[in-house]
Amino acid sequence: MSAENGKNGIPDAQAGPRPEPLRFYGTTWVNHDDGYAARRAGLAVGSLAVAAAACFVLRVAYQGLQIADIGSFVSLLMIVMFAICSALAFRHTWSGFTSRPDPDRQASMRGLLAIGFVGSLLAYFFRTFTEAPGERLHRAEYDRAREDYEKRTIRRSGNPMKKRRRK
């Protein structure tokens, strides 16, 4: 990509790597502008509200199993399954904010993450208190890309014909 925009050699302000947009935030995480704080607050409240609604739906489902009188073992099994899957989903989602997840592992855990969706919502809720979820990872990658770009585009000043020969 050229550092010039084609207008009389004027450098393009957007030359170099571009930040990767985050879901719900776009690229506002770079400079924390355009309502970034309001988005974080709104998404924290929204993710907690959705998690609470999901817990209510799970409670209604559990009550349906009790009404069906399927037995205490199956009821206990359902509670343990949702608790374990939610804990694993929380941990997987939380670690996904600091490092890129392995695509094969992500695909194999898709069912578990679907069952433990409450854990993922809670991880999202807690992460919004410190940053936009995934911001630290994206910022590190973006800063590294900017540094690499700057190193590649540093121009040497002076006349190259006057360069001293090394002996």
Side-chain angles (χ1 to χ4, degrees):
M1 177 179 214
S2 175
E4 296 179 357
N5 63 6
K7 297 181 182 176
N8 299 325
I10 299 170
D12 187 4
Q14 293 295 331
R18 303 235 188 321
E20 185 178 344
L22 290 174
R23 181 181 294 161
F24 305 122
Y25 293 92
T27 57
T28 61
W29 60 268
V30 176
N31 297 321
H32 294 185
D33 57 356
D34 294 333
Y36 171 82
R39 287 182 194 197
R40 268 185 51 195
L43 287 168
V45 170
S47 63
L48 186 61
V50 171
C55 288
F56 177 74
V57 169
L58 290 175
R59 181 171 183 235
V60 169
Y62 178 74
Q63 287 175 342
L65 290 175
Q66 283 184 327
I67 291 170
D69 195 28
I70 58 170
S72 61
F73 177 72
V74 176
S75 297
L76 179 67
L77 193 61
M78 187 185 104
I79 291 170
V80 170
M81 176 196 64
F82 274 107
I84 291 173
C85 289
S86 292
L88 291 173
F90 181 94
R91 177 69 181 122
H92 181 76
T93 304
W94 190 265
S95 66
F97 295 142
T98 56
S99 64
R100 296 259 180 204
D102 178 31
D104 294 333
R105 185 170 184 261
Q106 185 83 7
S108 68
M109 291 187 67
R110 188 169 292 138
L112 183 132
L113 293 173
I115 294 169
F117 64 98
V118 174
S120 293
L121 289 168
L122 291 176
Y124 199 89
F125 168 71
F126 287 119
R127 192 57 166 206
T128 56
F129 286 122
T130 57
E131 65 176 2
E135 178 182 346
R136 187 174 301 148
L137 172 67
H138 284 77
R139 187 170 303 282
E141 291 174 350
Y142 178 64
D143 289 345
R144 192 174 322 113
R146 291 293 303 173
E147 288 173 9
D148 292 346
Y149 175 77
E150 294 297 326
K151 286 179 184 176
R152 286 192 312 266
T153 58
I154 291 176
R155 303 281 187 243
R156 185 177 63 177
S157 62
N159 185 351
M161 294 299 288
K162 294 181 181 178
K163 182 174 125 179
R164 290 187 198 177
R165 301 279 182 196
R166 293 184 188 186
K167 293 181 182 181

